[in-house]
Amino acid sequence: MSSSSVEEIPEMCKDLFTQDGVLLKMSNGRPNNDPNAVGMLCLVENPNGTKSIEWRPNDLITIDSDTQDQEWAVVNTIGRRQRTLSGNMTSDYASARARIIRIPLEELKFFRSSRDNIQIQFSSKQGVWQHTFHCQHGNAEAFIANLRNHVITAKTRRNRNTYMVVETNAEAQVLNKSFAELDIFSENTTDVVWNLVSNFTERPYATTMEAFSKLTDIVYYGNEVTHERRHREQPTPEDISDLTNALDENRIETRKSDEYEVVTIESILPPRPHIHRNSPLSTEKWDGLRDSEGRITEVDGVKQLIFRGGIAHTIRGVVWKYLLDYYPWNITYSGIKNLTKKKTQEYYSMKLQWRSMTAGQESRFSEYRDRKSLVEKDVNRTDRTHPFFAGDNNHNLVVLQDILMTYVMYNFDLGYVQGMSDILAPLLMLLVNEVDTFWCFVGFMEKISTNFDMDQAGMKQQLVNLQQLLTFTCPELAKHLDSKDSGNMYFCFRWLLVWFKREFSYPDIMRLWEVLWTGLPCRNFHLLICVAILDDQKDLLISKDYGFTEILKHVNELSMCLDIDRILSTAEGIYHQTISAPHLSDNIRLILGIPTVSRPDGEYPEPEQNTEAQNGTQTDGNVKSDEADLEEVMYQIGLDMNF
Amino acid sequence: MAKTYDCLFKLLLIGDSGVGKTSILFRFSEDAFNISFISTIGIDFKIRTIDLDGKKVKLQIWDTAGQERFRTITTAYYRGSMGIMLVYDVTNEKSFENIKNWIRNIEENASADVEKMILGNKCDLDAKRQVSKERGEQLAVEYQIKFVETSAKDSLNVEYAFYTLARDIKAKMEKKQEASNPPGGRSGAHQLKANEQQRKPTSWLSRCSVL
């Protein structure tokens, strides 16, 4: 890299963890209404190795992509912080920079999250919460969990969600602690470590093995029970889980030597079951599932059938109305009539709101004008090669436009965002009726509204979750992507934004969507669809050593070349592999909406019972009820940190 | 893989949604125009290798989604860009006004010395024109950026625009090379002049790229 200006960089802080969509709260505790107070909460590592919590307002945020190929070595890349000194810095930028909030970890004394996971607070002295942040996505636990990898904490007695910082700079001390506290060596810890290091030079292999085997024993069998459990023949799944979690490695190999037994543990998943897809939900079956007045009582059963095989095209239009929450499942035939009447009136009154706008009004209503212009532009370029939308003066385009404009009036704050016309087009093609299509579209948007956030925090969160799922299920690919600066998964952006609409033909996307709308078998199954596609491409991406640009190109070019049935069964297979993996981490559980592990612990008996959590994997996207579990996990992570 | 080019330039197309970024790129890379384009979601790029003063220059041109909302994602791709085409639509006043915002966006996200050019696209649609050529020129003078009106549909000035930008990047690199290899420096270093560079194999091109 030939960059003459790089020397101006005053400091290069490394972002260790970032969380988007975090509002800075005013001291009175109410969320700040200033949109500039939306930003990103980060954990950063300073050049001197210390760490800080940092909140940056959104207008300051640039995305670190580090996308440089070697090919672009001649380019002068610019450091994120370098611009703060550059001559052409804008005043906005400077003022935004001034609004950064930094809390050095050394000064951090307490932190806590609210029970609903919306609020995070930090304090550097007892009794005062100096900094309060509001997580728009209710994912405060994610930040707290990450923060706790960097500091050693103790729970306070009074509040289970409040943590007291015992020691900062956890990593530096964890190793020391783990050796010292475990008391695996009879000598003084420091000496042992020193001897270990000096022995490396003399007999590196043996020294390494000796040290690791001792560590392995401890992690396997725990400190207190080392002797009684040492003779167990097989480690239990929990042991493997502990080991893999504790060492945070994908692969641990201990090779045979004269003295030590062979232990080869790869955190590989159980074998992938082959999942057969079933035939679609048929008209007969559907009719048979309705009672005499038309109600569907076996909702879970219907969803299972749809998840397994999709819906026959003949009844697709009807069933979609239920899946997209236009019709409640228990609605009767007469109820449908009333609902349709009511919803039709509602639709046309909203439509009238914009249809009756005069040219003069419009000229003084720039926000409306902007939305309208965006809609017009996109309608004219939505699936125009499909016969349904092809040709000049196509009436279906007018309907498409009318629905989108009415949606703008329905949800003016969200307005129109690119991608919505893609989402709407298949709905209109299937349902044809303008009113039905509108309300089904509303239901679909409800499911994916975070995709269209102003700050794109919802999208970024999904990309992060996808990366974590991939790391768990397909570590070698995750590693490859990471090594090619593609770990941010931005190349999957299009897949996620419009739920694969651009990747499949109309019949296939209809099948995929109806399966995903069931919410089965777990939350975020669409991310496992991404994983399934990538898993299929894994060998090629790795063997051809595709770099940043090739990965993007390859993924973009998969469009219309994907086999929907194969992907659906692969994704479900990966789901089963994942949930039955002995080392399934709570992070992955959270993403998939699976109840997290709560281990009995004598020291902290938990009165909260969790009947729902014990009922298996039926989660239907709701983990709120598992709050107690979540807390337990957070607590457990803390214990693990302390060994 | 055999290297089929001497030099790789990364370029970027930015501008409001619907101004014709993808059409301009399609015209340049495929020499074609399609009235029924789809909107760009996320990011894509196309490649075309051009001949510039006897050197094969591979242009890797990135096409981005225009809507404001996606800017946090698309700006990730600014870094490493050597040239940026700022595109507006001459039939859309707003897209012209927004050029200033796009320039600010570049200043905040791209490297400071990135080459820029302003394109007023859709100049074939004279009946619908809202922004005169003079206003475009005036803006360009104000920012000291080159400017040209284009029509992806009629294939007007698209080639010219990309060649001009590529040439400017090349010139800037040569200048930089000159500065870092002053005369009388290390043995074997040459002070290069624009008209000399074809005779000098050890010119800036040696720094240009790997592969």
Side-chain angles (χ1 to χ4, degrees):
Chain A
M1 213 151 294
S2 68
S3 178
S4 57
S5 48
V6 160
E7 56 209 337
E8 295 163 25
I9 300 174
E11 48 172 355
M12 281 303 279
C13 295
K14 199 167 106 198
D15 286 346
L16 302 172
F17 182 78
T18 62
Q19 189 158 321
D20 291 288
V22 180
L23 273 74
L24 171 62
K25 273 192 165 183
M26 301 302 275
S27 49
N28 62 12
R30 279 194 292 269
N32 193 333
N33 287 328
D34 173 6
N36 290 334
V38 181
M40 185 193 246
L41 197 58
C42 318
L43 264 170
V44 300
E45 186 174 329
N46 302 312
N48 62 5
T50 62
K51 290 168 196 159
S52 305
I53 295 162
E54 189 173 294
W55 177 85
R56 293 175 211 137
N58 259 2
D59 38 2
L60 189 75
I61 292 169
T62 61
I63 312 300
D64 278 329
S65 68
D66 298 313
T67 56
Q68 274 44 261
D69 256 81
Q70 263 93 20
E71 294 187 331
W72 306 335
V74 78
V75 176
N76 284 353
T77 50
I78 181 160
R80 177 166 57 82
R81 277 147 206 283
Q82 186 186 350
R83 288 189 312 281
T84 58
L85 284 191
S86 71
N88 51 22
M89 176 174 74
T90 63
S91 56
D92 284 3
Y93 190 80
S95 71
R97 177 102 174 95
R99 288 188 287 115
I100 288 183
I101 289 172
R102 294 198 112 203
I103 310 160
L105 286 195
E106 298 118 78
E107 291 170 20
L108 185 66
K109 293 281 186 296
F110 295 92
F111 56 94
R112 69 176 180 191
S113 60
S114 59
R115 283 186 70 89
D116 56 6
N117 269 318
I118 286 184
Q119 190 167 289
I120 305 187
Q121 291 182 299
F122 302 103
S123 158
S124 51
K125 60 179 170 185
Q126 200 152 11
V128 192
W129 292 104
Q130 289 114 323
H131 302 287
T132 302
F133 299 97
H134 190 92
C135 298
Q136 287 173 298
H137 302 285
N139 53 356
E141 88 274 4
F143 192 85
I144 297 283
N146 198 281
L147 175 59
R148 297 188 56 212
N149 290 332
H150 301 277
V151 290
I152 294 168
T153 56
K155 284 249 183 184
T156 56
R157 285 276 160 211
R158 232 168 301 144
N159 188 334
R160 302 190 73 246
N161 290 323
T162 305
Y163 300 89
M164 183 171 72
V165 179
V166 186
E167 286 178 72
T168 49
N169 205 4
E171 288 99 327
Q173 286 153 29
V174 160
L175 183 68
N176 210 2
K177 265 178 113 62
S178 61
F179 282 116
E181 287 187 356
L182 291 173
D183 196 26
I184 50 176
F185 303 105
S186 48
E187 306 104 308
N188 171 293
T189 307
T190 320
D191 289 345
V192 169
V193 174
W194 176 246
N195 287 340
L196 177 73
V197 172
S198 59
N199 278 345
F200 273 132
T201 47
E202 288 156 36
R203 37 186 205 109
Y205 182 76
T207 308
T208 312
M209 284 306 119
E210 190 178 324
F212 270 111
S213 67
K214 284 183 179 175
L215 188 59
T216 310
D217 280 353
I218 294 303
V219 179
Y220 259 170
Y221 304 121
N223 197 15
E224 321 76 34
V225 289
T226 300
H227 296 293
E228 47 190 278
R229 290 173 73 181
R230 194 178 276 273
H231 301 293
R232 283 208 327 225
E233 290 186 84
Q234 288 284 320
T236 64
E238 288 80 10
D239 291 329
I240 298 171
S241 170
D242 282 351
L243 177 61
T244 49
N245 285 341
L247 296 182
D248 193 28
E249 278 288 327
N250 292 323
R251 188 167 302 178
I252 295 156
E253 285 181 21
T254 309
R255 284 197 200 85
K256 194 168 187 91
S257 75
D258 294 340
E259 292 171 70
Y260 303 106
E261 64 177 314
V262 178
V263 184
T264 301
I265 298 168
E266 290 185 333
S267 60
I268 46 169
L269 301 176
R272 185 176 304 168
H274 180 73
I275 308 286
H276 289 282
R277 301 285 306 156
N278 287 358
S279 54
L281 173 67
S282 65
T283 314
E284 298 74 38
K285 238 181 215 162
W286 171 253
D287 287 340
L289 283 159
R290 308 179 98 150
D291 69 11
S292 56
E293 293 179 74
R295 296 184 196 91
I296 301 288
T297 46
E298 291 296 320
V299 180
D300 290 344
V302 176
K303 285 184 178 173
Q304 274 293 344
L305 289 172
I306 298 170
F307 175 70
R308 295 251 68 86
I311 305 166
H313 195 69
T314 44
I315 50 165
R316 203 169 238 160
V318 179
V319 185
W320 277 20
K321 290 173 192 164
Y322 293 85
L323 283 173
L324 290 171
D325 304 317
Y326 177 27
Y327 292 174
W329 291 95
N330 61 1
I331 199 167
T332 59
Y333 293 121
S334 60
I336 290 179
K337 266 186 198 156
N338 294 333
L339 182 78
T340 310
K341 198 175 157 195
K342 186 174 147 252
K343 290 289 187 179
T344 307
Q345 280 173 355
E346 204 180 326
Y347 174 77
Y348 283 106
S349 70
M350 283 188 289
K351 187 173 175 180
L352 194 65
Q353 288 169 358
W354 65 270
R355 286 294 283 263
S356 60
M357 201 165 305
T358 64
Q361 271 182 299
E362 212 178 303
S363 70
R364 294 180 295 273
F365 195 174
S366 65
E367 286 199 47
Y368 169 82
R369 227 167 41 234
D370 292 347
R371 284 161 174 72
K372 189 179 170 193
S373 141
L374 274 173
V375 169
E376 278 168 2
K377 272 176 191 157
D378 276 6
V379 162
N380 282 319
R381 45 185 182 163
T382 300
D383 292 332
R384 296 300 300 279
T385 49
H386 192 283
F388 191 76
F389 295 110
D392 297 334
N393 304 316
N394 184 324
H395 177 70
N396 293 324
L397 291 181
V398 179
V399 183
L400 201 63
Q401 163 127 356
D402 285 2
I403 293 174
L404 289 170
M405 284 307 296
T406 307
Y407 188 78
V408 167
M409 301 316 285
Y410 174 81
N411 189 347
F412 198 83
D413 285 344
L414 184 59
Y416 174 78
V417 185
Q418 278 189 328
M420 287 187 188
S421 70
D422 277 274
I423 294 288
L424 176 60
L427 301 186
L428 178 61
M429 205 196 74
L430 182 78
L431 299 165
V432 183
N433 178 293
E434 182 174 339
V435 177
D436 289 346
T437 308
F438 173 81
W439 290 109
C440 284
F441 177 67
V442 167
F444 197 172
M445 287 304 298
E446 218 32 61
K447 292 182 192 291
I448 55 170
S449 60
T450 60
N451 282 15
F452 301 100
D453 286 341
M454 191 48 108
D455 60 1
Q456 289 287 287
M459 282 300 294
K460 286 186 209 164
Q461 186 60 51
Q462 289 182 69
L463 293 166
V464 168
N465 288 346
L466 171 58
Q467 201 274 338
Q468 289 167 345
L469 283 174
L470 195 71
T471 303
F472 186 79
T473 57
C474 204
E476 60 283 31
L477 180 58
K479 208 172 144 194
H480 177 80
L481 294 177
D482 213 37
S483 71
K484 304 295 178 188
D485 291 320
S486 299
N488 60 18
M489 309 300 287
Y490 278 10
F491 58 88
C492 296
F493 183 85
R494 188 175 76 193
W495 293 359
L496 294 176
L497 186 80
V498 291
W499 269 29
F500 309 94
K501 159 67 170 46
R502 295 273 175 101
E503 321 309 318
F504 292 101
S505 67
Y506 264 59
D508 285 356
I509 197 64
M510 289 180 176
R511 173 60 32 86
L512 175 59
W513 282 357
E514 63 205 14
V515 168
L516 291 176
W517 291 333
T518 64
L520 296 174
C522 60
R523 191 160 69 157
N524 281 321
F525 188 62
H526 68 295
L527 297 181
L528 289 179
I529 298 284
C530 297
V531 172
I533 301 174
L534 292 172
D535 184 82
D536 223 21
Q537 305 298 322
K538 175 182 71 182
D539 293 341
L540 189 138
L541 293 172
I542 295 174
S543 68
K544 293 202 171 178
D545 195 33
Y546 275 172
F548 175 80
T549 51
E550 289 106 335
I551 292 168
L552 179 90
K553 197 92 197 153
H554 182 75
V555 165
N556 278 350
E557 286 173 357
L558 289 175
S559 174
M560 302 298 155
C561 303
L562 298 164
D563 178 341
I564 187 64
D565 285 321
R566 183 188 152 98
I567 287 163
L568 280 170
S569 45
T570 307
E572 197 186 343
I574 293 172
Y575 163 74
H576 287 292
Q577 283 182 291
T578 306
I579 56 159
S580 47
H583 59 294
L584 179 61
S585 64
D586 286 323
N587 187 22
I588 300 297
R589 287 171 198 268
L590 280 173
I591 295 171
L592 299 183
I594 301 167
T596 46
V597 190
S598 98
R599 288 183 224 177
D601 190 317
E603 212 185 322
Y604 289 86
E606 275 314 309
E608 288 113 315
Q609 76 282 28
N610 242 301
T611 44
E612 207 172 320
Q614 252 108 71
N615 282 344
T617 57
Q618 179 59 43
T619 59
D620 213 332
N622 186 2
V623 286
K624 284 254 155 55
S625 59
D626 304 326
E627 232 172 52
D629 267 308
L630 182 65
E631 288 180 10
E632 200 50 47
V633 171
M634 294 307 165
Y635 172 62
Q636 194 62 44
I637 294 170
L639 281 187
D640 292 344
M641 282 303 299
N642 290 312
F643 284 93
Chain B
M1 199 164 58
K3 193 168 136 182
T4 54
Y5 56 91
D6 301 306
C7 198
L8 180 103
F9 290 174
K10 183 189 171 189
L11 311 180
L12 184 69
L13 284 155
I14 60 175
D16 278 8
S17 174
V19 296
K21 297 180 292 296
T22 308
S23 295
I24 289 173
L25 181 53
F26 195 59
R27 167 62 69 195
F28 183 67
S29 62
E30 324 282 331
D31 196 20
F33 179 80
N34 186 345
I35 193 82
S36 54
F37 265 113
I38 54 171
S39 62
T40 305
I41 291 181
I43 191 117
D44 201 358
F45 68 89
K46 290 211 180 294
I47 299 278
R48 181 174 156 191
T49 304
I50 61 169
D51 187 285
L52 216 55
D53 307 322
K55 295 290 169 194
K56 283 205 187 320
V57 178
K58 180 173 169 180
L59 302 181
Q60 183 185 65
I61 308 158
W62 291 75
D63 185 19
T64 58
Q67 198 172 353
E68 166 91 30
R69 200 156 315 208
F70 301 122
R71 228 172 266 181
T72 56
I73 300 289
T74 51
T75 47
Y77 293 85
Y78 286 21
R79 289 174 40 170
S81 288
M82 301 149 89
I84 296 182
M85 293 287 192
L86 291 135
V87 188
Y88 71 91
D89 170 0
V90 299
T91 71
N92 183 326
E93 172 76 32
K94 184 84 194 262
S95 72
F96 177 70
E97 288 164 14
N98 273 336
I99 288 288
K100 290 186 181 183
N101 293 330
W102 285 108
I103 290 175
R104 215 190 71 177
N105 214 245
I106 294 172
E107 283 168 357
E108 290 175 4
N109 295 290
S111 75
D113 61 349
V114 66
E115 282 295 326
K116 297 179 276 280
M117 188 162 185
I118 298 174
L119 306 186
N121 193 37
K122 306 195 191 178
C123 69
D124 54 291
L125 299 175
D126 228 13
K128 289 189 185 170
R129 184 186 277 274
Q130 291 180 358
V131 184
S132 70
K133 193 177 176 183
E134 289 69 33
R135 288 176 65 202
E137 285 164 345
Q138 211 178 329
L139 183 77
V141 169
E142 195 181 316
Y143 283 98
Q144 296 183 306
I145 300 175
K146 283 187 184 168
F147 164 77
V148 68
E149 281 198 343
T150 57
S151 164
K153 188 166 171 246
D154 293 352
S155 190
L156 191 74
N157 287 338
V158 175
E159 292 273 304
Y160 166 81
F162 281 102
Y163 272 88
T164 305
L165 190 65
R167 230 178 234 116
D168 288 351
I169 293 168
K170 187 168 162 251
K172 181 171 270 180
M173 287 170 68
E174 286 165 354
K175 215 171 148 193
K176 220 177 247 175
Q177 175 74 2
E178 221 173 288
S180 62
N181 283 335
R186 299 188 305 271
S187 63
H190 299 278
Q191 186 181 7
L192 296 170
K193 292 191 180 103
N195 58 358
E196 269 186 338
Q197 44 110 20
Q198 269 171 282
R199 294 187 285 112
K200 305 279 183 190
T202 56
S203 75
W204 57 276
L205 287 169
S206 59
R207 293 178 63 204
C208 193
S209 62
V210 288
L211 260 193

